[in-house]
Amino acid sequence: MSPVLSGVLQLLALVAALALAHIPLGNHMARVYSSGKHWRVEKWIYKGIGADPDTQMRWPAYLRGVLAFSLAGVLFLYLLQRLQGVLPGSLGFASIDPDQAFNTAASFVANTNWQSYYGEQAMGHVVQTAGLAVQNFVSAAVGIAVAVALVRGFARSRTGELGNFWADLVRGVVRVLVPIAVVGAVVLVACGVIQNFSGIHEVGQFDGGSQQWNGGAVASQEVIKELGTNGGGYFNANSAHPFENPTPFTNLFEIFLILLIPVALTRTFGVMTGSVRQGYAILGTMATIWAGFVALMMWTEFAHHGPALEIAGGAMEGKEVRFGIGGSAIFAVSTTLTSTGAVDSFHSSFTGLGGGITMLGMMLGEIAPGGVGSGLYGMLVMAVIAVFVAGLMVGRTPEYLGKKIGTREIKFAACYILITPALVLVFTAAAMALPTPGNSMTNSGAHGFSEILYAYTSASNNNGSAFAGLNSDTQWFNSTLGLAMLLGRFVPMVFVLALAGSLAGQRPVPVTAGTLRTEKPLFAGLLVGAVLIITGLTYFPALALGPLAEGLAA
């Protein structure tokens, strides 16, 4: 079978699996977040944390819950790392340095999972399981909760109440993430992913030598890192490591996990707002962008530019032979169009244009289909902007889902889309201007600039993947990337929840002959154009200095 045909067949199988899961999982999540009943285990949790799950919150109270819980997570994970040297199950690893502990705590709480350390050489079993794996669950649940709050803003009228953050958080973990993660972990273990708490031991190599590796609860962490669009790997090689991703099937299964909840949330959105067709319009927009990026990535990586590439069947540098170009291209696009950051190949070794595609995927705001929760609320903010632009074009007050998009709403949306580009460009400029960060670059010229740009794009958009040619384990990068992750995660949430509160307080606007039909393909096309144009205008100069210059030079 040719590599191209193999890639196409993998793509078709993935789309079919997502189509089968879309409706049942989407309907299930709609029931979860609309139910007035609490499970017994949930009641125990509420009692333990002192929360009343039946109290309705306005957006400032909902935001305080998000920030308070996340701050507690940062402090707990930071202290856990700093105390690792005296904890049981540390495998003899020392405590983590302060700057790296801050970076890692910010990274996992912000659903970024950027790693400036070698997982198998730094983190013991307690930190991996009680710290990092737990944050993989709860940070994903926070993202879903914020998305659901925005959906309620569209669905509710003449009230500023958006639900209860603590109930949304607990239900997301107990009823959505944990059940799927348990099934997924069993599948991964059955396919060869390791799951144990063994110490450091010798592992044989093909060339006859041996290498030291530690075991770990890898399958259980691998499944939630993909399902929750987190991305942090148990090993430094991440999802390219055979202990994390041993076969082409597990590779495709992990891509499925990455896309599963973001795709299904569009159905949840449609059900909760009472218009399933609106959910399909959002899904169609996401699918169009995702499919276009996959096609472009396959084209750039399969293109033959010389004898070596022709013999290999494409640009195989930095890619695992067991996955090939097709599986690597689909994984790379899916992980950078979501907030996952897991990698099964080294993005720094992609062609110049291929590396640019991964960066552009993050620069779009990771909304196609995006991270767990963050993808949906990011796309809905873009839909608000698209409706506003359409209203200007026809001279009519813009409306979306029966809500008027006025000055207040468009200000919140505008602030949302400006935060991340500001973080990316300001931090990248500072790193390039100062001498100390520049010493971490292993490449010069356009590719060296791309390494820096990729790092801050990944951190600010809460992705977590890296070009792998940058030494980011320095005080500068640990501190600034950690700050970029926290600001890039929580400042946009402020405007999302403020927008949700503003929409929930409105009266519904009746549909008239002049109302823009936002469930039609025409609006989906307008939304795709708005996403690409806004991103292109913002990032094109930076892309021109890095991946575009490198790709054209090649």
Side-chain angles (χ1 to χ4, degrees):
M1 183 184 299
S2 71
V4 176
L5 179 58
S6 174
V8 172
L9 291 177
Q10 290 181 63
L11 186 61
L12 293 177
L14 176 63
V15 171
L18 290 170
L20 289 174
H22 170 70
I23 293 177
L25 180 56
N27 289 347
H28 170 68
M29 288 191 288
R31 290 191 296 269
V32 166
Y33 292 104
S34 301
S35 173
K37 297 181 179 179
H38 307 295
W39 289 3
R40 181 174 298 179
V41 66
E42 294 171 350
K43 292 179 181 178
W44 294 342
I45 296 173
Y46 300 139
K47 186 176 181 180
I49 62 178
D52 181 0
D54 297 313
T55 300
Q56 289 290 310
M57 296 179 173
R58 301 176 71 86
W59 79 265
Y62 203 100
L63 176 64
R64 286 195 295 271
V66 170
L67 297 180
F69 178 76
S70 300
L71 176 60
V74 171
L75 294 175
F76 172 77
L77 190 51
Y78 176 84
L79 291 174
L80 197 65
Q81 294 175 85
R82 295 290 293 139
L83 296 173
Q84 176 175 252
V86 298
L87 293 175
S90 65
L91 299 178
F93 298 142
S95 298
I96 307 300
D97 292 336
D99 58 307
Q100 192 173 76
F102 164 72
N103 179 276
T104 304
S107 175
F108 278 76
V109 172
N111 198 241
T112 308
N113 296 33
W114 172 276
Q115 294 173 290
S116 61
Y117 58 88
Y118 298 98
E120 65 270 32
Q121 299 178 18
M123 301 294 183
H125 293 322
V126 173
V127 175
Q128 290 275 19
T129 55
L132 306 186
V134 168
Q135 285 303 319
N136 283 347
F137 280 96
V138 295
S139 65
V142 168
I144 300 177
V146 174
V148 169
L150 180 57
V151 172
R152 292 194 185 112
F154 283 108
R156 296 181 177 182
S157 301
R158 288 176 287 186
T159 177
E161 296 173 345
L162 301 177
N164 185 286
F165 166 71
W166 303 106
D168 292 339
L169 173 72
V170 172
R171 289 179 179 184
V173 174
V174 174
R175 302 192 196 183
V176 179
L177 295 173
V178 168
I180 302 175
V182 169
V183 175
V186 172
V187 172
L188 290 179
V189 170
C191 293
V193 179
I194 67 171
Q195 179 77 9
N196 56 58
F197 288 100
S198 67
I200 298 175
H201 53 278
E202 296 286 332
V203 176
Q205 295 180 313
F206 288 112
D207 60 4
S210 63
Q211 189 173 0
Q212 285 190 335
W213 287 105
N214 58 280
V218 177
S220 57
Q221 185 159 323
E222 186 76 12
V223 68
I224 190 56
K225 93 171 188 184
E226 312 293 16
L227 179 66
T229 60
N230 298 286
Y234 212 99
F235 301 99
N236 183 52
N238 208 275
S239 293
H241 198 289
F243 288 178
E244 292 193 23
N245 190 7
T247 68
F249 173 78
T250 58
N251 188 65
L252 198 62
F253 181 67
E254 290 182 13
I255 301 173
F256 170 76
L257 291 173
I258 290 171
L259 301 175
L260 178 61
I261 292 179
V263 167
L265 275 173
T266 60
R267 174 76 180 188
T268 304
F269 162 68
V271 172
M272 291 183 69
T273 56
S275 178
V276 173
R277 297 179 68 184
Q278 296 284 354
Y280 282 125
I282 295 297
L283 176 60
T285 302
M286 293 175 171
T288 299
I289 297 173
W290 178 80
F293 271 60
V294 171
L296 285 173
M297 181 65 82
M298 285 192 175
W299 173 73
T300 61
E301 299 304 301
F302 275 120
H304 299 166
H305 297 296
L309 295 180
E310 290 179 2
I311 294 172
M316 278 296 296
E317 181 185 348
K319 299 178 179 68
E320 287 293 321
V321 293
R322 65 184 187 277
F323 305 144
I325 291 176
S328 299
I330 299 171
F331 201 114
V333 169
S334 299
T335 196
T336 50
L337 276 174
T338 63
S339 63
T340 310
V343 294
D344 71 347
S345 55
F346 285 99
H347 294 179
S348 183
S349 296
F350 278 38
T351 62
L353 294 179
I357 291 171
T358 60
M359 267 190 274
L360 183 60
M362 294 184 289
M363 291 170 176
L364 292 182
E366 297 175 323
I367 53 178
V372 168
S374 61
L376 179 61
Y377 66 66
M379 184 59 82
L380 291 178
V381 170
M382 291 303 304
V384 167
I385 294 173
V387 167
F388 180 76
V389 172
L392 294 178
M393 294 170 66
V394 299
R396 178 180 171 83
T397 302
E399 302 164 7
Y400 187 53
L401 291 172
K403 301 296 177 70
K404 286 187 176 181
I405 307 302
T407 303
R408 179 181 176 86
E409 289 76 24
I410 203 63
K411 283 181 179 178
F412 290 143
C415 289
Y416 174 90
I417 65 172
L418 289 174
I419 290 298
T420 303
L423 292 172
V424 173
L425 299 177
V426 169
F427 278 121
T428 299
M432 293 302 296
L434 298 175
T436 301
N439 295 333
S440 296
M441 297 165 54
T442 56
N443 294 280
S444 59
H447 195 78
F449 175 77
S450 294
E451 292 175 353
I452 300 289
L453 178 63
Y454 194 107
Y456 286 109
T457 300
S458 178
S460 301
N461 285 281
N462 302 131
N463 183 270
S465 63
F467 246 26
L470 179 72
N471 176 25
S472 60
D473 186 16
T474 66
Q475 287 190 350
W476 165 270
F477 283 112
N478 280 332
S479 301
T480 57
L481 289 171
L483 184 60
M485 288 181 245
L486 292 175
L487 294 176
R489 174 70 165 178
F490 296 109
V491 174
M493 284 184 176
V494 174
F495 299 111
V496 169
L497 292 173
L499 175 63
S502 178
L503 293 170
Q506 292 187 24
R507 295 183 177 181
V509 179
V511 176
T512 66
T515 301
L516 176 65
R517 302 296 297 272
T518 53
E519 77 280 9
K520 298 290 186 179
L522 177 62
F523 177 73
L526 174 65
L527 185 51
V528 170
V531 170
L532 296 178
I533 290 172
I534 291 173
T535 302
L537 292 175
T538 304
Y539 288 107
F540 182 78
L543 289 170
L545 293 173
L548 287 178
E550 183 183 358
L552 294 174

